[in-house]
Amino acid sequence: MPSAPDGRAIQHAIDRAGAGEVIMLSGHYRVDRTLRLKSGTQLCAQPAATLEWADEARPGMLLDATRADRTRVQNLILQGRGIALKGRGHHVENNWVRGITGGQQHGHAAWNQRHGVLVVDRAEQLRVVGNRFEDIVDTGIMAYGLRDSTLSGNHFLRVREGIHLWSCGDTLIAENTGEGFTAMALEVQGDDLPGLRIRDNRFGNWRADHDAGYHAMSVVSGIGAVIQGNVVDARPTLGATLEVGGVAPEVRQNTFSGAPLVIATAPDARIQGNTLRGAGIVKDVNRVRGGQLAIRGNRIEQAPGAAITTDQWRGYDRIDISGNTIVRQQKASDPPFIGILLTGTDKAPLQVTGNRITLLPGEAHPAPMACLGNSGFQGDMRGTVVADNVCEGRGHGVFVRTNSQGGHRGVRYLRNTLRDLRQGISGDSSGLMAERNQLERVAADPAGLER
């Protein structure tokens, strides 16, 4: 198809084509008004063609399929504006979407123009696969109400956000990559819906001037969302590598570095088998009013301050912190470190079992280290069980320290192994119950753990 300076030939070809007929483009097209796709429209290029928005002062999108179904846009370069979608069966594959500034002079009306792919309302069986989104003022993919859809294999470079979803379910987000973000790589908000799967994505290299307080990924809605196999390398100045919420999310076998994994309002959350480097796991103060929380089998290396911590463990019916491996090497200039922080609970007590905490001094006089920290007060941790844990410290660090009177009242320490520590428990240990703990080369045991 010959090129036309203003793209009118493309609209003419769309209007004339039968359903499913391929419109093959070549060359460079300047488009000064939105091209309206109809059901079955297929715009393709071999190897590529460029559609460039010609007039920044004019509102609009390059392509609009909001009144159509089953369109295909493939192998195109879209410059200056993106695609608006709604309906069923759209495919957006192997395109390069770039240089979107959003026509900011149009005020609030320009918001739709700030994204690469925009799903303005519910869309089903949408495939956005293998595209490149580059230099976009807002979001690569912004979508409302996705169902039975796939967003995979896309790459994001110098965009504000990569993918932003509202009230989406039965959707796969997989094998996307990105760098140069100024906000979030992935954000999921809205109603709790089932079927969200987020796996094997790789995000890193946030801009130094990123928005303060943002998270690398935030998934705070969904029922049974599975977040698995992702690799996120965040700047320490970000709020989190992942903020997770919703109902019964599973966060498993991910690798997170640079910023913590933050648990928001997430009843029945399972945080299992993840690797965290230079970051820990934090339960945020939130509105959870029941359910369980399981933090199991994670490996946490060089977390600053604390590896597993919270302001309060309250809200859950059961909390299980088990089988985690924590390693920390301290220098004198580091802040004090706590492996796992225990606090009071308002329902079932904590279960802290089978964890292994290794405290490694990096120099002769490292900063203080403790395997466990206790901020309980006057028996509000009664019933907590600390069992079958291993703490080893090469002569530095303590097993447990307490910050408040009565914090150990009704807490049971069973079958724990303490090795090469400066001391066992420091501070007030009144009411503590200890059985069958094993101490090896522990300089002091003021609480009488070995009984």
Side-chain angles (χ1 to χ4, degrees), residues 83-95:
I83 309 170
L85 301 170
K86 180 182 176 180
R88 179 186 294 269
H90 299 292
H91 287 204
V92 180
E93 300 178 354
N94 301 323
N95 302 284

Side-chain angles (χ1 to χ4, degrees), residues 92-94 126-133 141 149-156 163 171-177 197 199-201:
V92 180
E93 300 178 354
N94 301 323
L126 173 68
R127 285 178 54 84
V128 182
V129 177
N131 303 281
R132 180 181 178 91
F133 298 89
I141 302 170
S149 294
T150 299
L151 313 177
S152 69
N154 302 287
H155 182 71
F156 304 93
I163 300 171
T171 293
L172 173 66
I173 304 170
E175 300 178 359
N176 301 285
T177 59
R197 293 158 292 152
R199 62 169 178 80
D200 301 322
N201 302 282

Side-chain angles (χ1 to χ4, degrees), residues 282-328:
V282 178
K283 175 192 170 285
D284 201 0
V285 177
N286 54 55
R287 300 183 303 276
V288 68
R289 292 294 181 269
Q292 302 185 30
L293 172 62
I295 302 175
R296 299 177 181 147
N298 303 283
R299 181 176 178 85
I300 305 173
E301 304 170 359
Q302 291 301 105
I308 300 175
T309 187
T310 185
D311 287 335
Q312 53 180 253
W313 287 112
R314 302 177 187 275
Y316 286 98
D317 296 327
R318 176 182 171 83
I319 299 172
D320 176 13
I321 302 173
S322 63
N324 301 284
T325 299
I326 296 168
V327 179
R328 173 70 194 188

Side-chain angles (χ1 to χ4, degrees), residues 126-421:
L126 173 68
R127 285 178 54 84
V128 182
V129 177
N131 303 281
R132 180 181 178 91
F133 298 89
E134 183 173 339
D135 293 319
I136 296 176
V137 69
D138 209 305
T139 307
I141 302 170
M142 171 71 74
Y144 294 78
L146 287 186
R147 305 290 188 275
D148 190 23
S149 294
T150 299
L151 313 177
S152 69
N154 302 287
H155 182 71
F156 304 93
L157 178 63
R158 295 187 300 274
V159 303
R160 184 173 185 273
E161 289 192 343
I163 300 171
H164 193 144
L165 306 184
W166 289 82
S167 300
C168 296
D170 295 319
T171 293
L172 173 66
I173 304 170
E175 300 178 359
N176 301 285
T177 59
E179 57 184 312
F181 302 101
T182 55
M184 302 185 193
L186 171 65
E187 185 170 8
V188 181
Q189 297 176 287
D191 301 318
D192 288 323
L193 299 170
L196 184 64
R197 293 158 292 152
I198 301 170
R199 62 169 178 80
D200 301 322
N201 302 282
R202 300 180 69 94
F203 301 125
N205 295 322
W206 265 254
R207 285 177 50 144
D209 60 347
H210 67 80
D211 294 342
Y214 276 81
H215 306 317
M217 299 199 307
S218 177
V219 182
V220 294
S221 69
I223 299 175
V226 177
I227 304 169
Q228 179 176 8
N230 303 283
V231 178
V232 181
D233 185 7
R235 284 182 175 267
T237 47
L238 285 165
T241 47
L242 171 67
E243 177 193 35
V244 62
V247 178
E250 297 185 34
V251 182
R252 61 195 190 205
Q253 298 170 340
N254 303 279
T255 300
F256 298 134
S257 59
L261 190 166
V262 175
I263 303 166
T265 304
D268 294 317
R270 285 187 283 176
I271 314 298
Q272 187 164 344
N274 303 283
T275 298
L276 292 94
R277 299 190 176 102
I281 297 174
V282 178
K283 175 192 170 285
D284 201 0
V285 177
N286 54 55
R287 300 183 303 276
V288 68
R289 292 294 181 269
Q292 302 185 30
L293 172 62
I295 302 175
R296 299 177 181 147
N298 303 283
R299 181 176 178 85
I300 305 173
E301 304 170 359
Q302 291 301 105
I308 300 175
T309 187
T310 185
D311 287 335
Q312 53 180 253
W313 287 112
R314 302 177 187 275
Y316 286 98
D317 296 327
R318 176 182 171 83
I319 299 172
D320 176 13
I321 302 173
S322 63
N324 301 284
T325 299
I326 296 168
V327 179
R328 173 70 194 188
Q329 186 170 46
Q330 280 288 80
K331 299 181 295 184
S333 58
D334 290 336
F337 174 77
I338 296 172
I340 301 173
L341 179 65
L342 312 180
T343 70
T345 59
D346 55 351
K347 296 183 180 179
L350 292 168
Q351 305 290 313
V352 182
T353 61
N355 302 283
R356 187 179 194 99
I357 304 171
T358 302
L359 308 176
L360 301 173
E363 51 192 57
H365 302 286
M369 293 183 284
C371 289
L372 303 181
N374 183 345
S375 64
F377 178 72
Q378 296 293 18
D380 64 356
M381 285 180 48
R382 190 180 301 275
T384 291
V385 175
V386 181
D388 301 304
N389 302 283
V390 175
C391 178
E392 51 193 1
R394 293 193 182 175
H396 295 267
V398 298
F399 183 53
V400 180
R401 68 175 187 176
T402 184
N403 302 318
S404 303
Q405 187 175 9
H408 287 292
R409 191 177 301 160
V411 180
R412 301 177 68 195
Y413 293 88
L414 310 175
R415 302 180 303 277
N416 299 286
T417 299
L418 286 65
R419 183 180 299 124
D420 298 318
L421 298 179

